Amino acid sequence: MRFTSEQRLDNGVLEREFTLGEIPGTLWTPGSAAPAPLILMAHNNGLPKGEARLVARARHSAAYGYAVATIDAPGCGDRPRSAADEQARADLRRAMQAGEPLDEIFESLVGPLVEKAVPDWRTTLDALLSLPEIGGPVGYSGWTAVGIRLAVAEPRIAAAGFFAGGYVPSAQREEAREVTIPLFFLLQWDDEGNPRQRALDLFDAFGSKEKTLHANLGGHTGTPWFEADDGNRFFGRHLK
């Protein structure tokens, strides 16, 4: 892992860009000297690690005392996309403009993104846990599809916060039964592109004995900011 830049924010949080082979990422660490528990934070469906809402959530969590890391996984952010990825995205734009069904296209786009992303997240986790300023345990926050696959494949993930917005491929909907860690699940009741009942069915499918659903009125990007505080308190119960 090679750090390429850093800046100290007003609240004492240290924000650093890094590269790990072909993986670009950002790490936020709190100002305290003690090793911090880690939250891996991923945005939905391939949006870049520098997306403003993700950065705001990461800085907020770091100020609470967590180390927070995000990456651009293969085909996400500024990383190269395959010809199949580009075709799927073009098909998605065309179908959305025409008002056609989207599930089959989302399967062809999101499914491969998930399969390629999880190995990079695990490689990043290995490198992060070798840093003296990070002490574990580990949480995950964000993109539900990747979070399900990661929670099943990676025993070091102790708790997860999932955002219901974003397509979850059929393979991950099946895997949801294998997820047994504590969960914090956020649902926007009026999300334009994500059917409410599908999100409720997914919540019901999770195998976790401790799972909490917070539903708020509003569209896809309307999650109230106070949910960030609730999420940090959830992680406080399981990571600290």
Side-chain angles (χ1 to χ4, degrees), residues 5-200:
S5 68
E6 68 175 57
Q7 64 169 327
R8 183 73 66 177
L9 306 180
D10 291 342
N11 55 11
V13 169
L14 181 62
E15 180 178 281
R16 289 175 287 177
E17 300 293 322
F18 66 83
T19 58
L20 181 62
E22 296 180 352
I23 305 170
T26 309
L27 173 64
W28 295 264
T29 47
S32 59
L38 174 65
I39 298 174
L40 305 178
M41 195 169 284
H43 218 314
N44 274 347
N45 298 348
L47 290 175
K49 65 182 180 62
E51 202 276 338
R53 286 178 295 152
L54 183 146
V55 171
R57 287 195 296 117
R59 290 174 173 176
H60 190 64
S61 292
Y64 258 75
Y66 304 103
V68 183
T70 188
I71 64 170
D72 279 339
C76 300
D78 294 328
R79 292 185 69 179
R81 296 173 181 168
S82 68
D85 288 341
E86 292 290 8
Q87 184 60 54
R89 290 175 187 272
D91 290 345
L92 179 61
R93 289 191 293 270
R94 177 193 54 76
M96 291 178 70
Q97 291 170 355
E100 297 174 357
L102 303 178
D103 279 10
E104 185 175 342
I105 300 173
F106 270 125
E107 284 284 336
S108 67
L109 174 63
V110 180
L113 283 178
V114 171
E115 292 303 317
K116 290 183 287 188
V118 168
D120 274 14
W121 274 109
R122 299 185 76 183
T123 297
T124 303
L125 179 56
D126 289 340
L128 291 168
L129 290 178
S130 71
L131 298 175
E133 59 267 41
I134 296 176
V138 182
Y140 172 89
S141 175
W143 185 2
T144 299
V146 163
I148 292 172
R149 180 88 278 276
L150 195 58
V152 171
E154 181 50 72
R156 291 173 292 185
I157 304 295
F162 293 156
F163 285 74
Y167 185 80
V168 178
S170 57
Q172 277 65 62
R173 293 199 293 272
E174 288 296 320
E175 283 184 314
R177 294 171 175 80
E178 302 175 46
V179 176
T180 58
I181 59 175
L183 292 180
F184 180 73
F185 196 58
L186 286 174
L187 169 63
Q188 284 302 103
W189 204 245
D190 308 299
D191 194 328
E192 310 83 7
N194 298 285
R196 180 189 307 160
Q197 191 58 53
R198 181 180 291 176
L200 294 173

